[in-house]
Amino acid sequence: LNYADGLKVYRVGNVPPKALDALLRVVGIQSLSLFPSYRVVRTASRSLGMVTANDFPAPDSAIDYPLVGLIDTGTDPNNKLLQAWVVARHELVPKDQQDNEHGSFVGGLLVHGKRLNHNDPRFPSATAKIIDVVALDKSGSISEDELLIVIDEALTKFPEVKVWNLSLGQA
């Protein structure tokens, strides 16, 4: 796996428990462990009603908005208000394995965080368009080795994105 220059990390799978002792005796192995898993951060929101186009306006074609990459569960493809802000979508999870709730929540905050929070001054008034990378399935979790592959692929596919959002906690 590509962690960093000069650091070699290998992923091995389906190693029988009996073979672990032999594997640990290989001279080049410094450590052997499981990859940690990460999960989406629990959302802390309270729905007060339906969002309208007045609450969540579409982008203004005369404005050049910043672009933020969102690696998450994906934004709801049926939410027309939010999709107006999605520039591209890269799906790494099959549609039948998606639950877009968390990604839509975070995407909404990236686009209109202050508006969605009653213009609370603790939220930035900045808005952004989104590159939507659907990387987490219904479980809302991903292993570190899989996450590294997703990040590497996203950075390669969307080099124009300078700011990325990844709202995860360790599982």
Side-chain angles (χ1 to χ4, degrees), residues 52-129:
T52 66
N54 216 21
D55 303 318
F56 203 91
D60 181 338
S61 60
I63 297 175
D64 185 21
Y65 294 95
L67 192 58
V68 175
L70 175 58
I71 299 174
D72 209 291
T73 63
T75 59
D76 180 355
N78 298 315
N79 183 326
K80 290 181 171 54
L81 297 174
L82 185 53
Q83 290 308 307
W85 292 87
V86 175
V87 173
R89 182 175 174 96
H90 183 52
E91 293 184 315
L92 299 167
V93 175
K95 287 189 188 321
D96 66 333
Q97 292 299 310
Q98 294 179 22
D99 175 349
N100 307 122
E101 184 177 337
H102 189 267
S104 295
F105 174 81
V106 176
L109 289 175
L110 288 172
V111 174
H112 287 309
K114 190 169 189 170
R115 280 177 164 273
L116 291 173
N117 286 282
H118 311 288
N119 292 314
D120 187 314
R122 293 174 291 180
F123 287 85
S125 55
T127 58
K129 288 195 173 182

Side-chain angles (χ1 to χ4, degrees), residues 25-63:
R25 286 193 293 273
V26 173
V27 175
I29 293 181
Q30 294 179 359
S31 68
L32 181 67
S33 65
L34 296 173
F35 283 102
S37 286
Y38 301 94
R39 60 174 170 66
V40 294
V41 175
R42 186 181 53 187
T43 56
S45 66
R46 204 168 26 118
S47 178
L48 300 175
M50 295 298 293
V51 175
T52 66
N54 216 21
D55 303 318
F56 203 91
D60 181 338
S61 60
I63 297 175

